[in-house]
Amino acid sequence: LPAHNPSDFPAPLSSIELGAGINALYIRNNQAYLATNDSNRELITIDLTDLADPSLLGSYNAPGAAPGQGKSLSVIGDTLYLGRYYSSSGPELMVFDISDATPVLRGSQDIGTSGNTIGAYGTLVRNNFAFLLTGNSTTNSNGAMRVYNVKNPAAIAAVSNTVSLPNSGAPVALDCEDTSLFVASTPSTGSFQNRGSITVI
């Protein structure tokens, strides 16, 4: 949509068919970075140089043969952080250099728990720390906040205890203000089903 003249709303300018579901989106320097549900293209990049004719620039297939999908994105400067779901042992957090047109993997971290059915549904980076909103991928439950030191992407390390979300709620949304994190979660089953909570960390 053109955003320079509010009186023109809504006026679609263009679109592009990707053949994949989109879970997160980030725009930077005439490129769109997409976290998708395609297990062979968890990260897709789109060239937006010509907004009337966007084109596929490239994609990234994360390690592992089992099904997985991109779930969340965070970008700081020339560094992109991709959180994903993966159904077997493998990295759920990946760090890319995006200073050039093609993202270059700089490091990754397996954050899997029992059965490795875990997803990073929210990714937020501040200073040298990545805050991951995680949950069980198969039961949509057991939401938690995990923190990792990502100063050196080649040696990512956990730096705090896991903070479990109320009533085994599924992770929904994540934001940060000053020195506080705000996490939304909603249980999908049980006596607290569909009764959401906001947790301040």
Side-chain angles (χ1 to χ4, degrees), residues 32 58 107 116 164:
N116 289 299
S164 297

Side-chain angles (χ1 to χ4, degrees), residues 1-196:
L1 296 176
H4 59 279
N5 187 352
S7 65
D8 291 338
F9 291 167
L13 181 63
S14 62
S15 64
I16 181 171
E17 173 61 50
L18 300 175
I22 301 171
N23 294 320
L25 164 71
Y26 190 88
I27 308 294
R28 179 183 181 276
N29 294 341
N30 294 321
Q31 286 187 208
Y33 299 91
L34 312 174
T36 83
N37 66 1
D38 186 333
S39 61
N40 294 312
R41 300 181 301 163
E42 289 92 344
L43 178 65
I44 291 178
T45 55
I46 303 295
D47 186 352
L48 299 176
T49 304
D50 181 0
L51 291 178
D53 186 26
S55 60
L56 180 65
L57 190 61
S59 63
Y60 178 79
N61 184 10
Q69 51 181 283
K71 285 293 187 181
S72 56
L73 294 171
S74 185
V75 177
I76 302 294
D78 289 331
T79 305
L80 179 145
Y81 303 84
L82 171 68
R84 73 159 178 164
Y85 149 71
Y86 189 49
S87 64
S88 186
S89 180
E92 287 83 18
L93 173 63
M94 279 154 284
V95 183
F96 296 88
D97 181 339
I98 56 171
S99 57
D100 292 324
T102 302
V104 176
L105 184 67
R106 296 179 58 203
S108 62
Q109 179 69 27
D110 185 347
I111 62 171
T113 57
S114 177
N116 289 299
T117 53
I118 192 169
Y121 294 93
T123 304
L124 189 151
V125 179
R126 291 291 184 272
N127 298 320
N128 297 319
F129 301 102
F131 301 91
L132 303 184
L133 182 57
T134 67
N136 187 298
S137 311
T138 55
T139 61
N140 196 28
S141 62
N142 299 323
M145 172 59 62
R146 301 165 192 269
V147 185
Y148 291 84
N149 188 321
V150 292
K151 182 177 182 179
N152 179 3
I156 298 171
V159 296
S160 74
N161 295 327
T162 298
V163 177
S164 297
L165 302 182
N167 306 313
S168 297
V172 176
L174 165 68
D175 201 359
C176 178
E177 179 70 18
D178 294 327
T179 59
S180 297
L181 291 170
F182 299 85
V183 180
S185 60
T186 303
S188 58
T189 60
S191 58
F192 292 95
Q193 184 176 4
N194 296 325
R195 295 169 62 182

